Structure formats: C-alpha cells, structure tokens
C-alpha cells in the first residue's frame, strides 16, 4: 500500500492498493477510484459489531462505513478534502488512541476502530462548547488519515501543562490529554469580547493538534454575504436557484414570446 496527499489548499488523499489491501472511510468521503477497486458499504466496519455500535458511532460520524478493496489488480481510491485544510497520517496501536473533532476521520486501514467517545460527565461540553461529548474516538492498529480545517498547529503538552482553546479550534488530541469545559475569564470578556462564553482547557501529557478554521466558523464568516429572503433570513440553495435561475429564465422566456 502506498498513499500520497496531493495539493495544498484543497488536498486530496490518494491511496494505491494492491490485491488484498483495503481501506475504510465514512460514507460521503469518496472522490474517485479505479475500476479495479471494489466497494462494500455496511455497518459492521471500523470496529462496529452491529447496528447498535453503528448507531452510537453515528452521533459523531457516519452510521455506514465503506470498504475500498483491491481485488485482482492494483488500483487507486481518492478522498478529497471537503473544505480548505490539511490531511495527515497518524499511527495507531497500543497507547496510540485519539479523540477527534466530529467528522475529522477521513480514512484508515482495516484495523482502525472508530466510535463515539461518550463522556456523560462532559455532556455540557458537547452542548455548550461544541466539543467534548460528541467526539470521535479512534484506536486500533495500523494508521489512519485525519482531515482538519485551515492550517494545523501542533503542541506537545508536558504532564500538568494546560492551555485554553476556543472549542472550534480543537481538531485532534491524544487520548492521554484531559479536557474540561471552562468559561471565558472576566465578566467584560464574556459580555463584550465577542469570542463566546466557553473554552476548553486541555491538560497534558499528550499531543494536541489545533486547526485555524472550523466549519461553524466558516459558515459564520460567510453568513453576512448569503442572499436573503424578504423577511431577512438567509436563503437556502433551492431558494437562491429559484430566484437567480428559475424566475430569471421564466422572465426571459416570456419577454421572447411578447
């Protein structure tokens, strides 16, 4: 097996498989593949034993997983990034497990195990902070590829060393890193700082990967520029198509008839 990440702003992971080799990925991650690659979609992949395990996994990822296998001839399967960012490989094995932001898992070898890291005592972190309760837990054997948004900065925290991070910037942490939902210090900072109310305190030992962008942050940045309905709410893609395409086309057709 050979893998390469192509591109920079919108990278693509290309995995070259020889007969008998395979990778697994969440549903919806596929870009393109050779004719010699066989696809199998199901729930009992990536460590799930059945529907119940797949259902729990779906809280932070995909209910279905897909296996991409080379059968008789070598072949290539590609997984493009969904937003500008980075794709990188991480090793799996004993004492090498991770907590990933939701949908951060891109693909992995057959030995990888993907699940939702349920943390009942951190339920508030998931609801209020956007990170914590609905994490993807990745463990197993082999290696996997992670997709994070924007540029990625790595920190290796010593035992007892802490840092506080806005939840949307936390992309990947080693399972040895403890995390706790905290609030922004200072009343004025909470009310007028514009950075939200909640922070995640990450405490070592362990490695942390922070992303400079997230999907919610990107959506918030684009929201002021989206077309709006007469009542001021953002238009959906269908509404925009009707306004910009359907109505304009109808008006043009009517003008020709007249």
């Amino acid at each position: 097996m050979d893998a390469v990440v192509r591109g920079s702003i919108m990278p693509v992971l290309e995995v070259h498989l020889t007969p008998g080799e395979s990778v697994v990925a969440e549903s919806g991650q596929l870009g393109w593949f050779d004719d010699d690659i066989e696809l199998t979609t199901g729930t009992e992949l990536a460590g799930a034993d059945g529907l119940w395990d797949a259902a729990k996994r779906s809280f932070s990822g995909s209910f279905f997983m897909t296996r991409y296998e080379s059968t008789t001839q070598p072949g290539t399967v590609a997984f493009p990034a969904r937003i500008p960012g980075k794709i990188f490989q991480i090793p799996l094995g004993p004492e090498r497990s991770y907590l990933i932001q939701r949908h951060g898992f891109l693909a992995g070898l057959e030995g990888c195990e993907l699940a939702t890291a349920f943390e009942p005592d951190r339920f508030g972190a998931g609801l209020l902070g956007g990170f914590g309760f609905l994490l993807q837990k990745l463990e197993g054997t082999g290696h996997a590829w992670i997709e994070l948004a924007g540029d990625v900065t790595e920190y290796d925290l010593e035992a007892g060393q802490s840092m506080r991070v806005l939840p949307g910037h936390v992309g990947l942490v080693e399972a040895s890193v403890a995390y706790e939902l905290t609030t922004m210090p200072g009343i004025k900072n909470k009310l007028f700082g514009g950075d939200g109310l909640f922070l995640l305190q990450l405490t070592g030992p362990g490695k942390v990967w922070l992303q400079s962008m997230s999907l919610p942050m990107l959506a918030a940045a684009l929201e002021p520029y989206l077309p709006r309905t007469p009542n001021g709410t953002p238009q959906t893609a269908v509404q925009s198509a009707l306004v910009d395409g359907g109505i304009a086309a109808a008006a043009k057709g009517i003008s020709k008839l007249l």
Side-chain angles (χ1 to χ4, degrees), residues 49-161:
D49 291 330
L51 293 177
W52 175 240
D53 284 345
K56 291 189 294 183
R57 181 178 61 207
S58 67
F59 282 100
S60 63
S62 177
F63 182 78
F64 291 100
M65 304 287 290
T66 302
R67 176 193 293 116
Y68 303 88
E69 183 177 7
S70 173
T71 53
T72 59
Q73 298 291 329
T76 298
V77 57
F79 305 98
R82 290 170 291 183
I83 60 174
K86 302 292 183 183
I87 296 173
F88 56 95
Q89 179 178 307
I90 56 174
L92 301 174
E95 299 184 1
R96 286 193 176 274
S97 58
Y98 306 86
L99 299 177
I100 319 171
Q101 65 151 356
R102 191 177 185 187
H103 298 302
F105 174 81
L106 183 61
L109 300 187
E110 281 280 356
C112 72
E113 299 176 5
L114 187 66
T116 297
F118 282 101
E119 299 282 355
D121 59 331
R122 294 186 173 98
F123 184 75
L127 290 181
L128 303 177
F131 182 96
F133 179 64
L134 298 179
L135 296 178
Q136 290 183 310
K137 182 179 181 180
L138 179 62
E139 55 189 354
T141 59
H143 55 263
W145 293 272
I146 303 300
E147 176 191 358
L148 298 183
D151 287 320
V152 177
T153 304
E154 301 179 17
Y155 293 94
D156 199 349
L157 301 180
E158 301 290 339
Q161 181 184 358

Side-chain angles (χ1 to χ4, degrees), residues 149-182:
D151 287 320
V152 177
T153 304
E154 301 179 17
Y155 293 94
D156 199 349
L157 301 180
E158 301 290 339
Q161 181 184 358
S162 297
M163 63 189 308
R164 287 185 281 186
V165 186
L166 287 173
H169 290 294
V170 180
L172 172 71
V173 299
E174 291 184 333
S176 58
V177 175
Y179 62 95
E180 180 183 3
L181 183 70
T182 63

